[in-house]
Amino acid sequence: MTTREFRELFPILMRKVYGKSLVYFDNAATSQRPRSVVDKWVRISQESNANIYRAVHKLSAEATDAYEQAREAARAFINAGSREEIIFTSGCTAAINTVAYSFGQAFVKAGDTVIVGEGEHHSNLVPWQLLCERTGASLQILPIDDKGHWDLSVLKGLLAEGKYGADAEGASQRVKLVAVTHISNVLGLVNPVEAVIRLCHAAGVPVLVDGAQGIVHERVDVQAMDCDFYAFSGHKVYAATGTGVLYGKKRWLEQMPPFLSGGEMVGTVTLSHADFAGLPHKFEAGTGNFAAIATFPEAFETALLAREPEIATSYEAVCSYLEDALRARGDVRLYGDTGNPAGQAVLTGEASPAAYRRAGVFSFTIDGVHHEDAAQVLDKMGIAVRSGLMCAEPVIRHFGVSGMLRASLAPYNTMEEAESFIKCLDKAINLLR
Amino acid sequence: MTIAQKQEELVEAFSEFDEWLDKYEYLIEMGKALPSFPEEKKTDERLIKGCQSRVWLDAQTVDGKVVFSADSDAIITRGIIAMLIDVYSNRTPEEILQADDRFIDQIGLRENLSPTRQNGLLSMMQTIRQLAETAARTQA
Ligand SMILES: Cc1ncc(COP(=O)(O)O)c(C=O)c1O
């Protein structure tokens, strides 16, 4: 399949805005949906709409089947060991909050430590801040350097001080969990999460990976990665909105209390007490967003199509053209440095790899031009980009700016679009100076 | 020229352009023509809340009239505040408080700004009215 053909799967990409062809470069915020996903979403609503799990009738059986097929699709997509480890949520944020609450409830006490990355989206920062406020635990930061690379020596230091993970009792200072992002929504670099996981596991500390962007750009195998939790949203990876997945290792999920309660997540209920259903239902209180979740098989199939060599190669060419064109402008500062001028993939597997890869996310500032002005003018040229703090204020502040512009691509974006973007950027800059 | 006349003039000027890019350019030119705003006046008290780009607005009363000056770190925002100053500055507090701001919608400006900037625009108008009220009170 060619990029052209792949692109044609997405009806919205044919539309015009302000009479101009749409150039959609805000894929890190949400991807577009292929026709197959929209059709499934509608079909469940039109033909099989009934509450899942609860009834014996035909429609309920169909809706429940579709829901469970979606669970199997998610399991296969990230190669989880079992369906019990796939919890459906409303999104990545809800998935992370579930862990912050439930894991926190089970394991985090005053005097403990939780470590988060400096480059996190607010969704993987604020839940941990609140957990620490609630429990009296302390929040420590895994810092990034000016390239946007993690300083793993700091992590080693923190782990050496703490030494004990969630299993440890009685230690004076305990690192209970490390929560880091697979790919930052600002810097777009593929972080060496495997190295972090190895270091943490050597100290007995579990790791949550925020995979909101990682799931889009990387082949995720949670067993090979060996993360303890992996959280992502459906809407960034072609699925319907209001969907998400929390993958968790069974041994942790079993020890965690439910986050929300009610609905089908219970076992036996008396007026004074309830015991809980098994995994994954224990963490799925209330009626799930079943028509939207049902789009997972089609969405993940689309993601796999995009990874076929012909499309992947042309996507890489588009991305490296964009990186070169932005770097060629003396007045543009691109953030997140692969540390590898040739742009080659060099993940060495060492604790602190010298070079990172960039995954289709380009955040930059333009000397003398406010990011919001540029985004506004580009919009009128038919180009959709993000501007501002991008829900990741600490990382924006790290680079000493008040906001950035972000062009984030998907495999359906073409070279013509990238070239048009660079031309329009040039025009916008001239207008705004 | 009254406020209403000034507003009408602006609506007409913007209607000359078909493309919004050209309208932005016109706004940007207004922003560039705004007299420079002293650095020491860029204080938090003068910062308008609710804008993503920073906008500072200052008001002085001279001979019973409110004289506004302003600046912004974003050039389109600077154009917007320049346009508002063009309309509302150098007027008595009563004139400002009696005037409306329908011309903004007639120009189509609101719908052609991002939601954050729409909020910003709203805050700018509110601040202009508040400063006029303050001026009215201190005069009374
Ligand atoms: C890295 C990262 N984490 C978390 C999130 C939150 O995702 P959602 O808003 O879909 O819950 C996002 C979304 O922008 C993200 O990019």
Side-chain angles (χ1 to χ4, degrees):
Chain A
M1 186 180 262
T2 63
T3 298
R4 285 267 152 230
E5 288 161 347
F6 182 65
R7 188 177 169 82
E8 281 165 10
L9 303 177
F10 297 82
I12 202 172
L13 298 176
M14 314 298 156
R15 78 161 276 186
K16 306 248 180 234
V17 286
Y18 314 115
K20 303 189 172 71
S21 297
L22 166 70
V23 175
Y24 186 74
F25 276 6
D26 196 16
N27 292 286
T30 196
S31 72
Q32 296 303 345
R33 334 238 165 276
R35 199 177 284 109
S36 60
V37 162
V38 177
D39 287 351
K40 183 72 167 288
W41 204 353
V42 171
R43 187 160 66 72
I44 294 290
S45 306
Q46 276 183 349
E47 295 175 14
S48 306
N49 184 61
N51 207 323
I52 43 177
Y53 300 125
R54 292 165 205 221
V56 290
H57 55 74
K58 175 73 176 153
L59 296 192
S60 178
E62 284 178 9
T64 306
D65 272 353
Y67 203 62
E68 285 309 318
Q69 278 163 21
R71 200 182 308 275
E72 170 53 25
R75 188 208 61 73
F77 191 52
I78 60 172
N79 193 34
S82 83
R83 60 176 284 282
E84 295 165 287
E85 297 180 320
I86 301 293
I87 315 282
F88 288 144
T89 68
S90 65
C92 186
T93 303
I96 295 170
N97 272 277
T98 301
V99 180
Y101 179 85
S102 297
F103 182 91
Q105 181 90 348
F107 295 109
V108 181
K109 296 191 282 295
D112 290 341
T113 298
V114 174
I115 302 174
V116 299
E118 184 185 352
E120 299 306 314
H121 187 279
H122 296 161
S123 290
N124 195 29
L125 173 61
V126 181
W128 306 113
Q129 290 173 341
L130 292 183
L131 169 65
C132 289
E133 278 170 28
R134 271 198 310 274
T135 56
S138 102
L139 190 68
Q140 299 288 336
I141 304 298
L142 167 57
I144 51 171
D145 64 16
D146 288 341
K147 286 189 200 142
H149 297 192
W150 281 335
D151 185 346
L152 292 187
S153 65
V154 173
L155 178 64
K156 284 181 202 160
L158 287 168
L159 290 171
E161 277 170 39
K163 263 225 168 44
Y164 303 98
D167 288 339
E169 279 306 325
S172 60
Q173 211 202 353
R174 300 171 299 255
V175 179
K176 285 298 175 69
L177 188 93
V178 174
V180 289
T181 190
H182 196 176
I183 298 179
S184 148
N185 64 311
V186 175
L187 303 173
L189 302 178
V190 183
N191 287 318
V193 286
E194 294 84 357
V196 165
I197 291 165
R198 269 197 304 277
L199 283 172
C200 289
H201 284 182
V205 177
V207 178
L208 173 138
V209 177
D210 171 357
Q213 304 295 336
I215 195 72
V216 185
H217 299 282
E218 294 292 291
R219 284 166 212 272
V220 175
D221 178 335
V222 289
Q223 295 188 72
M225 184 187 279
D226 203 21
C227 54
D228 297 275
F229 301 99
Y230 196 91
F232 66 92
S233 292
H235 70 92
K236 292 183 202 278
V237 58
Y238 313 117
T241 47
T243 60
V245 168
L246 169 64
Y247 158 80
K249 280 186 183 163
K250 216 195 274 182
R251 67 176 274 235
W252 295 121
L253 293 176
E254 278 169 348
Q255 295 179 72
M256 289 157 52
F259 175 32
L260 301 173
S261 53
E264 280 290 301
M265 51 74 72
V266 287
T268 309
V269 183
T270 65
L271 280 179
S272 63
H273 181 76
D275 60 18
F276 301 114
L279 292 172
H281 307 289
K282 179 169 99 176
F283 290 101
E284 293 180 1
T287 301
N289 190 358
F290 57 88
I293 297 265
T295 65
F296 278 1
E298 286 74 11
F300 301 149
E301 202 177 297
T302 307
L304 293 177
L305 266 182
R307 290 171 192 173
E308 281 182 5
E310 192 172 353
I311 300 171
T313 309
S314 102
Y315 180 51
E316 264 169 45
V318 174
C319 290
S320 60
Y321 161 78
L322 209 57
E323 171 128 19
D324 292 346
L326 288 171
R327 287 206 185 278
R329 289 195 68 111
D331 54 356
V332 162
R333 276 204 289 159
L334 182 62
Y335 299 92
D337 185 342
T338 56
N340 174 22
Q344 294 297 311
V346 192
L347 268 185
T348 58
E350 287 160 23
S352 289
Y356 285 41
R357 275 179 299 125
R358 183 192 301 285
V361 176
F362 303 86
S363 293
F364 58 97
T365 51
I366 307 160
D367 296 344
V369 174
H370 195 279
H371 50 86
E372 218 182 335
D373 286 336
Q376 188 101 60
V377 168
L378 285 169
D379 169 58
K380 285 292 185 282
M381 297 173 170
I383 296 175
V385 293
R386 183 77 183 270
S387 68
L389 295 170
M390 293 180 259
C391 300
E393 189 167 349
V395 63
I396 304 283
R397 302 288 180 214
H398 176 99
F399 293 96
V401 293
S402 63
M404 296 179 186
L405 273 170
R406 180 184 70 191
S408 58
L409 277 63
Y412 45 60
N413 289 125
T414 61
M415 193 60 99
E416 293 82 68
E417 287 182 299
E419 286 168 357
S420 153
F421 168 74
I422 293 293
K423 270 202 212 97
C424 289
L425 185 66
D426 193 50
K427 259 173 57 188
I429 292 173
N430 285 337
L431 178 71
L432 292 167
R433 275 236 180 86
Chain B
M1 204 185 286
T2 65
I3 288 186
Q5 284 165 336
K6 185 82 219 172
Q7 291 174 337
E8 213 169 296
E9 192 183 275
L10 278 166
V11 172
E12 208 150 293
F14 274 96
S15 73
E16 306 268 307
F17 306 106
D18 292 333
E19 285 256 353
W20 258 92
L21 280 177
D22 297 324
K23 298 187 198 206
Y24 285 148
E25 195 165 358
Y26 185 67
L27 263 181
I28 290 166
E29 291 311 318
M30 280 197 256
K32 284 182 179 162
L34 199 63
S36 73
F37 190 78
E39 280 302 313
E40 67 270 14
K41 280 196 171 176
K42 293 185 181 175
T43 58
D44 282 353
E45 298 81 66
R46 292 192 181 89
L47 208 53
I48 296 181
K49 290 187 184 60
C51 298
Q52 220 197 69
S53 33
R54 293 185 296 171
V55 187
W56 297 269
L57 182 64
D58 184 52
Q60 306 281 329
T61 313
V62 182
D63 298 335
K65 291 180 173 173
V66 190
V67 178
F68 292 107
S69 57
D71 201 359
S72 171
D73 58 354
I75 199 162
I76 294 178
T77 316
R78 197 174 142 98
I80 295 170
I81 194 76
M83 182 185 76
L84 296 180
I85 285 180
D86 196 25
V87 172
Y88 297 102
S89 184
N90 225 349
R91 314 274 181 187
T92 64
E94 294 70 31
E95 281 178 293
I96 298 170
L97 293 171
Q98 277 157 23
D100 63 45
D101 59 9
R102 274 186 311 222
F103 79 109
I104 295 172
D105 285 331
Q106 284 161 3
I107 289 172
L109 184 57
R110 212 186 306 267
E111 69 217 46
N112 280 286
L113 292 175
S114 64
T116 51
R117 285 205 156 155
Q118 291 176 20
N119 281 338
L121 179 55
L122 207 69
S123 309
M124 288 185 219
M125 270 317 303
Q126 277 169 353
T127 312
I128 285 174
R129 293 210 176 92
Q130 277 163 11
L131 289 169
E133 272 169 23
T134 314
R137 250 181 279 121
T138 42
Q139 271 176 20

